[in-house]
Amino acid sequence: MYKDRHRVLLSLVQGTFIAALVIAAVLPFSCRINEEGISIIGGDFSAPILEKFLVLDNRSVRLEFSEPVKLSGIVVSPRIEGISDSSRISYDENLAPSLSSAAGEFGRLEASIEESEDSRTFTVITAEETEVGKSYEVFGLVEDSIGNSLTFCLPFVGYNSRIPRLIITEVQIKYGKGTLKGETIYRSEYVELLAMEDGNLAGLVLESASDGHSKDFTFPAVNVKKGEIILVHPRSAGEGCINEAGDDLNLALAPHSAEGIRDFWSDKTDSHYNDSSDIIILRDTVNLCIMDAVMYAAEDAVEWKSALADVALEVELSGIYDSADISSASSSKGCTALKSLTRQNSAELLNFVLNSEEDYEFPFHSDEASWAVAACSPGRL
């Protein structure tokens, strides 16, 4: 009887030991045996993280990962409207339309890969140049040394090497609705900008700290000339909200548009910009910098709300404002559907751009005295 119990106990110990060895060999964690059985000590279950994605130029993008990885495959392909963004899952096809597009089934671009010595950074180089402002996507799979994997699909826009320097000259933060000769008219928010040089607008984005990125306005790939005035309307309301991306700058007829001035209209219809306190940013997403910014606040405001405080600090670091404190913001008191925040020296800047050969310091400096409330004058500096 004793020998039988001893034999059973020995078999259990051997079995447990063998099981522990097998588990240790195939799973990414360590373990130890105790009287209760096998204890899991810890391990790596996390997939690699894509920490940074950069568009370097018109033929290359860079991916940087949190740890050394093996790149199993990568595809660069154009992003196709209605296919790349399809949510449809097909049961009679190999892949859903969106994945088929990302995986290069439609117009795949030939590409090569350069890997860093530490296997954390990869540069993807396409054989042909991407088009400025055109949408593309990078699709791929990476694995770490233990087998944790990450599948990714990253959208990007064809590189723009000719981004012009722009400056914000007027911000209309109020919305108005009324009647004129029996017809309803809408006066919506807008941002007026002055082009300081020739270039293409692809890669520029207008942001509002209070609205969040879901309401960002992304500029189209349109060429502009030095001294040109641009009006961005973040929402459409009523008739005449027509985009002027071509040569005809007299198409838009809605209130707050202007003849001979380039108008861009968002297809969004909800409100934009906080009525009393906000930070409007013009961001260059290609060169990863803030090109210009306007901070405004209610006259009795003593501090930024948490979300705005972070953006204000970013603006200070850009050098546009000397301080992120709300005291640096211009007062929004007096703004109405017919009165806006206007940069005080806009006319002088336009004259300088058109008539001077001298260079200027950029970005332009702003403070609470740089802006004042005045009658709306879209397109007229």
Side-chain angles (χ1 to χ4, degrees):
M1 179 71 70
Y2 172 78
K3 290 182 178 180
D4 289 341
R5 286 201 303 269
H6 181 75
R7 189 179 297 112
V8 170
L9 182 60
L10 182 60
S11 297
L12 287 173
V13 172
Q14 289 175 338
T16 300
F17 181 73
I18 293 172
L21 289 177
V22 171
I23 292 172
V26 299
L27 293 181
F29 52 74
S30 58
C31 57
R32 63 169 176 244
I33 303 172
N34 57 27
E35 293 180 356
E36 288 75 28
I38 301 173
S39 296
I40 298 174
I41 298 174
D44 178 14
F45 292 96
S46 59
I49 297 172
L50 179 61
E51 293 186 325
K52 188 178 293 185
F53 175 65
L54 297 173
V55 180
L56 301 179
D57 54 40
N58 54 12
R59 287 185 53 209
S60 56
V61 298
R62 178 180 296 159
L63 303 98
E64 298 181 9
F65 295 92
S66 57
E67 58 182 303
V69 293
K70 177 184 178 182
L71 189 61
S72 300
I74 200 161
V75 172
V76 181
S77 59
R79 192 173 188 276
I80 303 173
E81 191 77 26
I83 296 179
S84 299
D85 55 358
S86 172
S87 60
R88 178 169 60 89
I89 298 175
S90 174
Y91 293 99
D92 55 3
E93 301 175 27
N94 291 328
L95 288 175
S98 55
L99 291 179
S100 296
S101 177
E105 189 171 308
F106 308 99
R108 175 175 180 167
L109 277 65
E110 183 180 345
S112 59
I113 300 168
E114 292 182 356
E115 181 178 346
S116 64
E117 291 185 3
D118 62 2
S119 297
R120 292 180 56 184
T121 302
F122 298 83
T123 303
V124 182
I125 305 170
T126 58
E128 58 187 273
E129 294 184 356
T130 55
E131 297 179 26
V132 174
K134 184 175 180 179
S135 296
Y136 298 87
E137 49 198 0
V138 180
F139 177 83
L141 170 68
V142 295
E143 294 183 356
D144 63 17
S145 59
I146 298 176
N148 298 314
S149 63
L150 170 70
T151 301
F152 58 87
C153 182
L154 304 166
F156 70 97
V157 176
Y159 183 80
N160 180 13
S161 61
R162 297 180 56 250
I163 289 185
R165 288 178 287 188
L166 305 182
I167 185 170
I168 300 172
T169 49
E170 186 179 351
V171 177
Q172 168 56 294
I173 63 175
K174 297 285 189 176
Y175 170 80
K177 179 181 177 181
T179 57
L180 181 64
K181 295 180 180 180
E183 295 186 5
T184 303
I185 58 172
Y186 304 88
R187 292 186 175 91
S188 302
E189 310 90 334
Y190 66 82
V191 174
E192 179 189 77
L193 306 105
L194 171 64
M196 311 300 287
E197 58 191 349
D198 298 348
N200 190 289
L201 300 175
L204 293 177
V205 176
L206 265 178
E207 304 174 4
S208 157
S210 66
D211 288 345
H213 291 299
S214 64
K215 292 186 178 181
D216 286 355
F217 178 85
T218 301
F219 286 80
V222 172
N223 290 320
V224 295
K225 296 179 180 179
K226 181 179 181 179
E228 185 170 329
I229 299 172
I230 303 157
L231 290 172
V232 173
H233 309 265
R235 68 160 144 177
S236 296
E239 302 295 326
C241 302
I242 303 171
N243 278 308
E244 297 169 337
D247 295 329
D248 190 347
L249 303 183
N250 297 313
L251 298 175
L253 302 174
H256 287 335
S257 61
E259 290 187 2
I261 302 299
R262 192 177 300 279
D263 288 275
F264 291 129
W265 299 82
S266 169
D267 57 3
K268 296 181 174 64
T269 58
D270 50 347
S271 64
H272 282 68
Y273 312 147
N274 188 277
D275 279 352
S276 58
S277 301
D278 205 345
I279 304 172
I280 310 299
I281 287 177
L282 175 64
R283 190 181 298 277
D284 177 352
T285 62
V286 175
N287 298 305
L288 303 178
C289 66
I290 294 178
M291 186 174 287
D292 199 11
V294 180
M295 302 198 305
Y296 64 88
E299 196 171 44
D300 57 351
V302 295
E303 63 180 10
W304 296 111
K305 293 182 179 179
S306 57
L308 275 69
D310 293 339
V311 177
L313 180 58
E314 188 181 3
V315 170
E316 178 189 346
L317 293 175
S318 73
I320 297 172
Y321 282 78
D322 289 336
S323 171
D325 192 84
I326 200 168
S327 61
S328 298
S330 301
S331 172
S332 60
K333 182 180 180 180
C335 287
T336 69
L338 295 175
K339 290 186 178 181
S340 61
L341 283 163
T342 304
R343 186 182 287 272
Q344 293 297 280
N345 62 340
S346 297
E348 290 86 347
L349 287 173
L350 177 60
N351 181 66
F352 179 86
V353 168
L354 294 178
N355 301 306
S356 177
E357 296 298 326
E358 297 180 16
D359 201 2
Y360 47 86
E361 187 177 348
F362 200 86
F364 283 98
H365 182 267
S366 283
D367 55 33
E368 69 278 10
S370 299
W371 296 81
V373 176
C376 292
S377 57
R380 303 188 304 277
L381 300 188

